[in-house]
Amino acid sequence: GGGGFLPPARFLMDLFDLIVESGCFGCMDQLCLRAAGVAVGCPAAPSLANIYMDNFDKTKIFSSNNPYADTIIHYYRFVDDLLWILAPGLRLEPFMLWLNDLDPHLKFTAQSDHNTISFLDVNVLNRDGKLTFAPYRKKLIVLLYSILPHAIHRIIES
């Protein structure tokens, strides 16, 4: 063949259930139990988040029950990072209240600007109603400090 092995869907569902329901993860040589959700650092976490958010998109955002459906001009998502471009004049506070009432496991925060906003590593710019894009670079503060013993400092300096 060549095609590779594709496990049955039921196997994948059982595997995801095990990952989510087990609650165990390793941290600093300790076995820990998490309170809720998928353990931080779990290799399957991004895939599970993407599946969860895809279902959220289909059943909530693009549903006929969405009272804001007509105000969505553009909607972009990367896993759990969302970028909305909404119709002018929309009041953000009621929209955010509606959004945060949709799913008890999700909480959204908003950042709003009429001209530019960062999304992932991109600046999205509104130029007279046309979207343009530019690289976004976070401001970085670099702190240098030494953990070398004083004797090694004297050797390096001489």
Side-chain angles (χ1 to χ4, degrees):
F5 174 73
L6 182 63
R10 183 73 253 160
F11 171 78
L12 293 174
M13 296 299 292
D14 291 344
L15 182 61
F16 283 148
D17 283 344
L18 178 66
I19 291 167
V20 172
E21 292 172 6
S22 74
C24 291
F25 66 98
C27 179
M28 297 173 58
D29 296 327
Q30 298 283 326
L31 187 59
C32 304
L33 284 175
R34 58 145 176 78
V38 178
V40 172
C42 173
S47 295
L48 288 170
N50 207 29
I51 291 167
Y52 193 89
M53 291 303 296
D54 184 64
N55 183 63
F56 179 79
D57 289 348
K58 290 174 182 169
T59 61
K60 307 295 186 193
I61 303 307
F62 299 111
S63 149
S64 59
N65 296 330
N66 177 350
Y68 294 96
D70 292 340
T71 66
I72 301 171
I73 297 171
H74 294 287
Y75 175 78
Y76 304 97
R77 179 176 62 79
F78 179 76
V79 187
D80 62 349
D81 290 318
L82 309 175
L83 173 65
W84 304 74
I85 300 185
L86 302 168
L90 176 73
R91 290 185 45 235
L92 190 58
E93 187 177 330
F95 174 76
M96 291 303 298
L97 288 172
W98 169 79
L99 190 60
N100 278 308
D101 280 344
L102 293 176
D103 188 306
H105 302 101
L106 299 174
K107 288 299 160 220
F108 297 93
T109 59
Q111 180 183 358
S112 124
D113 193 296
H114 294 285
N115 298 315
T116 184
I117 197 157
S118 63
F119 179 62
L120 304 174
D121 290 333
V122 176
N123 271 329
V124 181
L125 309 153
N126 178 7
R127 301 286 187 234
D128 300 318
K130 183 179 178 192
L131 296 182
T132 60
F133 305 93
Y136 171 73
R137 303 223 194 292
K138 291 182 182 177
K139 290 184 172 104
L140 180 63
I141 299 173
V142 178
L143 299 175
L144 297 175
Y145 62 94
S146 174
I147 57 172
L148 299 174
H150 183 68
I152 294 177
H153 277 281
R154 288 195 339 218
I155 293 169
I156 293 172
E157 291 171 0
S158 39

